[in-house]
Amino acid sequence: MPRWKALSEELDPQIREFAGQLRRLVDRRGLSIAAVADRTGCSRTSWERYLNGRLLAPRGAVVALAEATGTSQAHLTTMWELAERAWSRSEPRRDMTVLSVRIPGTGGTGGTGGEGISPGDPAASLRSTGRRRRQAVLLAGVVGALLVLAAVVLLAGPGH
């Protein structure tokens, strides 16, 4: 039995090619969808949607997949840009996709923070997580430097 369901014939050729490329990357690395989710920070449900062509993966998720698989980001993001243009051209399909992802009774959408629903949003959650990490590392470095400086001043004592 094949691992993937056939992509819908209704998909734009650019989107089909992009989803197929993502599938090939996952297959070549022997990754499960759960492993892809763990390595990229996007939910498993979202990756199922991206890999089946039901949602366009956000740019940030594509970059994270490239990093996780050791693939050229430039090539993959170029393919993403072409698929994103095609996705944007197919507004009625995209509107239907957004409606189909709604979770009844919550007023929200599926996935983590609705990722992938707006292909123009390049995974803001992934960027903000990276930004917070960098800020935390910078803050830890500054605090460490201040502690070292305080220790030097205390050890040297007054008059030294």
Side-chain angles (χ1 to χ4, degrees), residues 1-74:
M1 184 170 111
R3 178 174 180 180
W4 306 108
K5 294 178 186 174
L7 292 169
S8 170
E9 293 296 324
E10 296 175 11
L11 282 176
D12 181 280
Q14 292 288 341
I15 298 169
R16 287 176 59 83
E17 177 60 28
F18 180 66
Q21 179 66 27
L22 295 180
R23 288 176 170 191
R24 285 187 293 276
L25 275 175
V26 170
D27 286 344
R28 279 189 212 133
R29 300 298 185 257
L31 299 172
S32 67
I33 293 177
V36 171
D38 287 342
R39 293 178 184 200
T40 61
C42 294
S43 73
R44 178 185 169 154
T45 303
S46 293
W47 274 110
E48 287 172 347
R49 291 176 182 139
Y50 305 154
L51 294 168
N52 286 310
R54 291 195 312 265
L55 288 177
L56 181 66
R59 184 182 184 123
V62 172
V63 169
L65 181 64
E67 290 174 358
T69 59
T71 304
S72 165
Q73 286 183 21

Side-chain angles (χ1 to χ4, degrees), residues 99-158:
L99 291 174
S100 72
V101 177
R102 299 264 181 221
I103 298 173
T106 65
T109 57
T112 307
E115 62 210 8
I117 291 175
S118 173
D121 176 11
S125 64
L126 289 174
R127 282 195 319 258
S128 70
T129 300
R131 189 176 309 124
R132 283 191 298 254
R133 244 185 231 137
R134 284 189 299 276
Q135 289 171 343
V137 169
L138 178 64
L139 180 61
V142 169
V143 169
L146 289 174
L147 287 173
V148 169
L149 183 62
V152 169
V153 169
L154 289 174
L155 291 174

